[in-house]
Amino acid sequence: MSPTAETITHQYPHPPTRIGSAKPGGRRPSTGRRRLSRNDSVKDHFRMKYNMSSGHVQNSSVTDIDHKLKLEFFQKEPCKYSHEVFLKAAKIYSALKHDSRDERENPYLQRKNRDALAAKVQDIPHLVFTDDQEKRLVFELAFTALKYQMLFEDVLQDCSFFAQFPEFNEDSGLVMVMLCDFQSRKFQQRTPFTNETLDETAEQVEEALLQVKTRLNAALARHRIKAAAPSLDHLLPDAVRSKEELRSNMPMYVWVNQIKTTISEVIEQFKDDGYKLVDSGEKLEERQFSVDNLCNDVLMFPPESKEDLIECELLQSGKIVLQDKSSCLAPHSVKYLLGEGDDIIHVNAGSGATTAHIASLLQDNNNHIWTFGSQSTTDVQKIQKTMERLGIKGVKNLQDSFLDIEPDDPRFKNVKVILVTADCSKSGITNPIDFIVNEGEDAKILKDLSVGETDLTKLGELVGQHGNLLKHAMKCKYLVESSSSSSSSSLPSSLP
């Protein structure tokens, strides 16, 4: 039998570490993306031989052509998820997953599981991530599994997967996220990362998926043919697919942390890295960027620059911060309402990125910022960690509820502006993963966004909460006094 990409193995210089009794070993990934079928490779091989015999190939040796054919024939799709990422994504998926088809179609099961499922959604596990990149990968994989949950559940049922492997019923979340990755890589066997710590259960799930990969592939093909869908993406709801298309064309934005550097220094650094600065009105192409026409400390890049931005040294060192432009408008509005020594209150600070942006814009004004919205000590520590990484001081994060603060509290006597960042349905977000990572948003938004629907019952509650925050802000006496003694407007600022 002719060799395939799955039968070629390589010895690692440092074998991966396994948890449990799994056997050591691994495969080295190739550098290419496209995989040729055996028939395609044979056809190309004979076509090249014919061209050479006919004199159509000039200055090419047979050795070079054969080497190129081998590279194309043995190409493998790379995997970007480690076992640790699979396990974490499975926990998030299991907490947020939608009702199964049986639960949706059976009223008895709906009534029986409604309370349990509601409680489960609220109980999203607390996970510790190595860095923001791992966090992105985990939420990206969990979100993909949520989008394709109904399809993959039907596919697994068509293949009688859990009937054949009943031991994985308790690990259905892990099966789902690994299947998402498995099908995206054309059902090729995964190659472990060097020095990766492997999980025994994840290895067993992968082996089970490999055993039924022919049936899985056939089931997916049947679903596509039945729906006349050219790709799996076309099986998603129109609202979800339109956002996916919009996201692929959305530019990337970063703001310059002027506590650590200057705008001109960052611009020169990007030029040294091969980027070209163009006017803000021009359409950005690859390796180009521009300065935003509304926020002078915000730089705009084409969407294909995302990976470069995430990995660049400027971002890792805290000299720039990746954040959507919509989140940058409020800090610039606040900047023009504050004077020397004026303080600000920021309600619903989230991850602290917007608060940090305000501090960056006011670095020379000796201002203090009070933040509210932290629900636990972990939230407080998260904001403190953000401020430390960005080198920002003068931010005082309070775990108290803003609604419990007395309107005449002497601690806030110098406060001139209250910025209320409203909680909303997030239905307009096109890139929820970046929003969760950059803004510290609750991962529960992924459940609704994965099907393109908004729970209308939540909207009234969100409007009521925001109204209460605004009313309480209006009661603060220090704001009323400052507005009556100043010729400029210092009333509370609220941006949704």
Side-chain angles (χ1 to χ4, degrees):
M1 182 179 69
S2 300
T4 65
E6 285 81 5
T7 64
I8 304 302
T9 61
H10 300 274
Q11 183 64 40
Y12 271 98
H14 302 286
T17 303
R18 281 174 165 75
I19 301 174
S21 58
K23 296 179 181 180
R27 294 182 174 86
R28 185 187 305 277
S30 300
T31 57
R33 294 282 299 181
R34 189 170 64 92
R35 181 187 177 194
L36 298 176
S37 68
R38 186 175 187 276
N39 290 336
D40 290 338
S41 298
V42 172
K43 289 178 183 178
D44 288 344
H45 180 73
F46 283 107
R47 186 181 296 111
M48 286 188 177
K49 282 192 172 183
Y50 170 78
N51 289 336
M52 287 188 292
S53 64
S54 303
H56 292 105
V57 177
Q58 303 293 333
N59 301 324
S60 297
S61 65
V62 176
T63 303
D64 292 340
I65 295 175
D66 286 343
H67 179 67
K68 181 180 179 181
L69 283 173
K70 289 178 181 178
L71 287 178
E72 291 181 346
F73 185 74
F74 294 115
Q75 281 178 354
K76 287 189 64 177
E77 296 290 333
C79 179
K80 57 183 178 180
Y81 306 117
S82 65
H83 276 190
E84 187 69 17
V85 170
F86 283 131
L87 294 171
K88 292 176 180 178
K91 291 179 180 179
I92 294 175
Y93 166 81
S94 298
L96 298 176
K97 67 179 182 179
H98 307 283
D99 294 347
S100 67
R101 190 174 299 280
D102 288 340
E103 291 167 338
R104 295 198 317 274
E105 297 176 353
N106 189 322
Y108 171 74
L109 289 177
Q110 277 188 335
R111 289 193 300 269
K112 180 179 177 181
N113 296 325
R114 184 177 294 124
D115 294 338
L117 289 173
K120 193 175 185 181
V121 169
Q122 301 299 323
D123 187 23
I124 296 179
H126 173 68
L127 301 173
V128 178
F129 300 98
T130 304
D131 50 32
D132 282 350
Q133 178 63 3
E134 183 190 53
K135 189 174 183 180
R136 290 177 193 277
L137 291 175
V138 168
F139 283 109
E140 174 188 84
L141 183 56
F143 186 52
T144 302
L146 287 169
K147 288 189 295 185
Y148 290 100
Q149 176 185 336
M150 303 308 170
L151 171 63
F152 287 155
E153 282 182 349
D154 289 345
V155 168
L156 290 170
Q157 185 175 0
D158 292 347
C159 299
S160 302
F161 179 84
F162 289 107
Q164 183 176 347
F165 303 100
E167 63 271 25
F168 297 133
N169 279 315
E170 297 297 323
D171 297 303
S172 59
L174 183 59
V175 172
M176 189 65 70
V177 297
M178 294 192 75
L179 176 57
C180 284
D181 171 66
F182 195 31
Q183 67 82 27
S184 70
R185 293 184 297 102
K186 304 176 183 178
F187 294 93
Q188 295 178 2
Q189 186 168 356
R190 178 181 172 273
T191 299
F193 297 103
T194 305
N195 297 329
E196 178 187 353
T197 299
L198 302 182
D199 179 77
E200 185 177 6
T201 303
E203 287 188 300
Q204 293 171 355
V205 169
E206 181 179 6
E207 182 61 31
L209 291 172
L210 284 170
Q211 290 184 33
V212 298
K213 71 175 185 178
T214 302
R215 283 184 282 160
L216 290 170
N217 206 357
L220 282 171
R222 286 195 298 270
H223 278 273
R224 285 178 51 194
I225 293 172
K226 183 179 179 180
S231 66
L232 289 185
D233 291 347
H234 287 77
L235 296 176
L236 295 174
D238 291 340
V240 176
R241 190 155 58 88
S242 63
K243 286 187 179 181
E244 293 289 330
E245 296 174 355
L246 181 61
R247 181 179 65 178
S248 64
N249 296 316
M250 289 288 288
M252 304 299 298
Y253 295 91
V254 300
W255 55 266
V256 178
N257 179 11
Q258 299 178 72
I259 303 293
K260 284 194 169 186
T261 184
T262 63
I263 300 173
S264 59
E265 287 178 356
V266 170
I267 290 176
E268 292 303 317
Q269 181 63 56
F270 277 115
K271 288 182 179 179
D272 293 341
D273 291 341
Y275 281 87
K276 179 182 178 181
L277 178 65
V278 299
D279 294 336
S280 59
E282 295 186 24
K283 182 180 179 180
L284 294 178
E285 298 179 356
E286 190 174 359
R287 308 299 292 181
Q288 292 184 344
F289 73 108
S290 62
V291 180
D292 185 75
N293 57 349
L294 294 178
C295 308
N296 63 347
D297 66 333
V298 175
L299 306 180
M300 182 171 61
F301 294 81
E304 54 267 25
S305 299
K306 179 177 180 178
E307 295 300 325
D308 287 342
L309 291 174
I310 291 175
E311 297 175 0
C312 77
E313 188 276 335
L314 288 171
L315 186 72
Q316 302 299 329
S317 62
K319 293 182 179 179
I320 62 173
V321 177
L322 187 64
Q323 198 173 19
D324 191 74
K325 179 182 175 180
S326 60
S327 299
C328 299
L329 297 175
H332 278 268
S333 300
V334 168
K335 173 185 176 182
Y336 295 105
L337 294 175
L338 294 173
E340 177 69 28
D342 291 341
D343 293 347
I344 176 175
I345 288 178
H346 185 191
V347 183
N348 294 337
S351 67
T354 299
T355 308
H357 195 179
I358 296 172
S360 170
L361 294 172
L362 303 174
Q363 79 274 19
D364 297 326
N365 289 355
N366 194 29
N367 305 94
H368 293 89
I369 305 175
W370 303 80
T371 67
F372 292 88
S374 298
Q375 303 295 325
S376 64
T377 304
T378 302
D379 293 339
V380 174
Q381 293 173 347
K382 184 191 302 183
I383 293 181
Q384 290 176 342
K385 185 177 180 180
T386 298
M387 299 306 162
E388 291 174 1
R389 184 175 65 85
L390 300 179
I392 293 173
K393 300 179 181 179
V395 175
K396 300 180 180 179
N397 187 27
L398 302 179
Q399 197 172 331
D400 311 63
S401 170
F402 176 67
L403 296 177
D404 295 335
I405 298 300
E406 294 296 330
D408 56 353
D409 193 317
R411 291 179 296 175
F412 311 121
K413 62 181 180 179
N414 293 325
V415 170
K416 297 300 183 289
V417 171
I418 297 178
L419 172 65
V420 180
T421 305
D423 283 330
C424 65
S425 64
K426 313 297 188 297
S427 59
I429 295 175
T430 57
N431 195 334
I433 308 305
D434 283 343
F435 199 77
I436 288 173
V437 175
N438 298 336
E439 305 291 344
E441 181 59 47
D442 195 330
K444 290 195 293 290
I445 66 172
L446 296 180
K447 182 168 184 176
D448 289 339
L449 295 178
S450 65
V451 292
E453 298 177 356
T454 301
D455 188 350
L456 298 179
T457 60
K458 298 178 182 178
L459 295 181
E461 180 182 353
L462 292 172
V463 171
Q465 290 175 355
H466 191 49
N468 291 336
L469 291 174
L470 288 177
K471 290 177 183 178
H472 190 72
M474 292 292 185
K475 295 177 183 178
C476 296
K477 294 183 178 180
Y478 35 85
L479 288 177
V480 176
E481 293 172 356
S482 64
S483 62
S484 61
S485 60
S486 173
S487 59
S488 62
S489 174
S490 302
L491 293 176
S493 171
S494 172
L495 292 175

